[in-house]
Amino acid sequence: MRSIGRPLVQLGSLRLRPALAHSCHAWPAVRHVGATAWTRTYADAKLDLPALDAKWRQKWAALPETACETSSGAKDKYVLPMFPYPSGYLHLGHLRVYTIADVVARYHALQGHNVLLPMGWDAFGLPAENAAIERGVNPAAWTRANIAKMKEQLGLMNGSWDWSRELATCDPSFYKHTQKIFLLLLEKGLAYQAEAEVNYDPVDKTVLANEQVDANGCSWRSGAKVEKRKLKQWFLRISAFQESLLRDLEVLAKDGAWPERVLAMQKNWLGKSTGATIKFPIMAFEHGMHAAIEVFTTRPDTLFGVQYLALASTHPVVAQLAERDPELQAFLDTLPGLPPDSKLGYLLPHIRAINPLAYHADTPEATKQSIPVYVAPYVIGDYGEGAVMGVPGHDVRDHAFWKTHHFDEPVRFVLAGSEDESTTAMFNDPFVDHGIMTEHGGPYKGKPSKEVGQMLVAMLQQAGLAQPVEKWRLRDWLISRQRYWGTPIPVVHCDSCGAVPVPDEQLPVVLPEVDAHWAGKKTGNPLETLEDWVNTSCPKCGGPAKRDTDTMDTFVDSSWYYMRFIDPHNQDAPFSPEKAASMLPVDLYIGGVEHAILHLLYARFIYKFLMTSSLAPGNGESSDPLVHEPFQRLITQGMVHGRTFSDPSTGRFLKADEVDLSDPARPKVIATGETATVSYEKMSKSKHNGVDPTDVIAQHGADATRAHMLFQAPVSEVLDWDGDKIVGVTRWLGRVYELVQKLGPAAADADVAETPRSYFEAAAHRLSSLSTEEQARWDADVALWRCVQKTIASVAASYEKVYALNTVVSDLMALTNAIQERAGAASGLVQRHAVLALLRMMAPITPAFAEECWSLLGMQPAAGGGGGSMFRGAGRARFPGLDGTLELELLQPRMQSCAVQVNGKLRAVVQIPTPNGLAGDELRAWIVAEILKTEEGRAKLANGSVDVTRAKKVIVIRDGKLVNFVF
């Protein structure tokens, strides 16, 4: 395991952070932690964690539901994990994110907050429809069955979900409001229809947004090679919000609210560039052609170094020439099979381009020469102008392309890192930074390139050959899908009136039943063939009209579902302004980094729009950027990888029954006897490394599984799942259970009512008269309670950070050790309060176990009859807080560890009193005397070969925590 901030010390099966371990334990006692500490005890044998899960889930279910808002209506805590797609089963990745969410929610509940932790289902989408076609069943029935199965699985993990707010995006009561939001966008001109070249998936038979096509030009869902088609499609004008989407990333960066890499991914996807469009005049031979090709560039300072132009396959010039050039058309036909960074290119034989600087008398002759024009797959058609000015000397891709096609021709370098060009004396690689213009810059030689770029644009602008512009990589969001299982687009098309919105009173436009389509296992969109559904009347003129047969991209549903949770039963609107004011934005949003661009960007856009609409509090007039961001804090958890076995000879992944695990340290391939290769890989059926979380929970209990899940790795890192190690957590829980059983219910109210602080303060006046036995008890009480207080501070900080939840478990294990070690020495009152604090800190992670122990200690009498809980109701517990005892002078440790060195080598560690204000020679003499008073000190440091009283020099470090005797 890797810890956050501090390394871990391995002690048997325990993992302790050194700083905390030192504060909680005397090291001689800790040395015995290991096999003996983990010996199965009588209490451990009686502890049945799965049975406790079932018992407390039943008791929680019997408790009345509580509202998530405070009585004043003020916003409290809204914790939300990304809702799941109902695929039919939960995997360990689900278990991890939902454990994190529930733990954080329970922690805030114990802090006294009212917490909203809802759950719902991202229920539309292609997998359900493809499953319907494959199985011949209705996708709604398939989805509902999967939801029931996954809800049952979620119920096994001891979560605290508010099921009264459950939603499914395929429910008409939900997508009615998705349609309302679409019509609001349409009303404001932010939804529109346009004919465009689109990405078409020939397997799933639907359009994909650019974001749903991978770097190899394949569909993110089916893996099929995407085709380009021209279709009339619906778009959402996300570009209208691009400035605020970019600007407000700075707000989300404050105090690390969002991960840096997510912010960087969003910024790169928005892709704001400041530069200029520059016209390159065209020389065409026997072809009617454009007068010029426009190029967008962010580096006008490299204009003297342009040696070719490259056009995208979709550029109008290319389309025009391809009509008469069969070789060009043949090249274009090969492009779908090429990678985007391919260096192949097609030289257009009948045109040349002229650098616009060629018209300036002082321009060097090399720049005045006409340049070739290529069609190149690395040029993106929908960015800039679909054309690139090739500058081999100052761009890596351009350099590679030029060397592929002109390997024997020189590269022109027009700027260098210094005025004498010494930094670029060997012109082998492109110089991509800004610098100083070289002799190839003509009259601008020696000038800073940034300044020259501005001058060139200004000069060309006067001649009508350039224009300063801003460009964005972001494109409007294409939401049309030619599939059935999605939210119908609420528009009818009339020959007289055009596209007409469906009136509010006719919403929702409900998906019709098409059972015959599924029974026949037909592909394609059945909505297109349902004449009774398609043919309707125009709401505007009453004439004949047709419904839109496209459905919405499922990302539209997930862009606003978190807002529906705050007001899930509102029939008239997606949510009320009052609920939005009190409960939005989401305080803590938890999910995978794979959603960093698509889902999060779309959610930010829709939220920004709705918070400026009539649905927003105050009609959206707030100027606070936080009001216009949906998720105040974002937590991205790492993936869960499974232990994977493969044959070392063939590399083939092995099934469980192909591996001999009789010796877990050396798994063998049964067929060959060879030692199997063990690795941790992303879980998949092909690698035979998947783990069913319900099987783990059935064997070890939900609480042990949750604790193990958190303990194995920091939240943000990949978790290498090893279920064999859960036994370490169950043994820890067994030791806590044993402590609780030994304490039993409080003998009297005073045992709990009196606080450790009041106990210490009351006993302070008797310190000087304590007997040796009483002093020993006082020392044990002080050491234990200081450990409790330090653990509270550390654990609370880790719960707040979230990413450090693994250290919560290690800290609580350390505190358990400290309580056990002082069980016979500390007073009953301090022991009881230490255990009560331990249980309250454990409760968010192991809720059923903590509830059981809490009731065994008599802290929740109502719980025995099903009427109370640590988390809700009159008996609600509170997370322990610091009581100020760490600062009390009387609770400073009376004894301290002193490491004794002789000539720099450690000889002994002894316990001596804490020096009180001594310094210099007086401190040294006192420490030597105290060391020699101890039994170990006398044995090792006064007799035999070492006598520290004869040392030439005594060096005291950190008030006596380290002493070095120099001979």
Side-chain angles (χ1 to χ4, degrees), residues 560-641:
W560 80 277
Y561 79 103
Y562 52 92
M563 292 183 264
R564 184 63 178 171
F565 278 134
I566 68 170
D567 199 7
H569 309 299
N570 189 332
Q571 296 183 9
D572 300 322
F575 52 85
S576 71
E578 294 75 24
K579 293 289 180 68
S582 65
M583 303 180 70
L584 291 175
V586 176
D587 291 284
L588 187 67
Y589 196 42
I590 306 165
V593 74
E594 64 271 19
H595 301 293
I597 295 174
L598 296 180
H599 164 56
L600 291 173
L601 190 65
Y602 295 152
R604 293 180 63 217
F605 158 54
I606 293 297
Y607 188 83
K608 285 176 180 294
F609 165 68
L610 291 177
M611 289 301 107
T612 57
S613 74
S614 57
L615 293 174
N619 289 320
E621 294 180 357
S622 173
S623 59
D624 181 358
L626 269 180
V627 172
H628 300 293
E629 284 294 335
F631 314 118
Q632 283 197 343
R633 190 175 176 208
L634 175 68
I635 298 294
T636 54
Q637 87 284 353
M639 296 182 69
V640 181
H641 287 180

Side-chain angles (χ1 to χ4, degrees), residues 43 46 71 73 87 203 269 282 302 479 553 591-593 618 659 668 682 782 785 803 818 877:
K46 292 191 301 179
S71 57
S87 58
V203 171
W269 192 260
I282 292 298
T302 64
I479 66 163
D553 180 5
V593 74
V659 184
K668 292 183 178 179
K682 181 179 178 181
V782 168
W785 196 246
Y803 285 116

Side-chain angles (χ1 to χ4, degrees), residues 760-769 890:
F760 287 123
E761 289 175 337
H765 67 279
R766 298 188 295 108
L767 282 181
S768 59
S769 60
L890 75 155

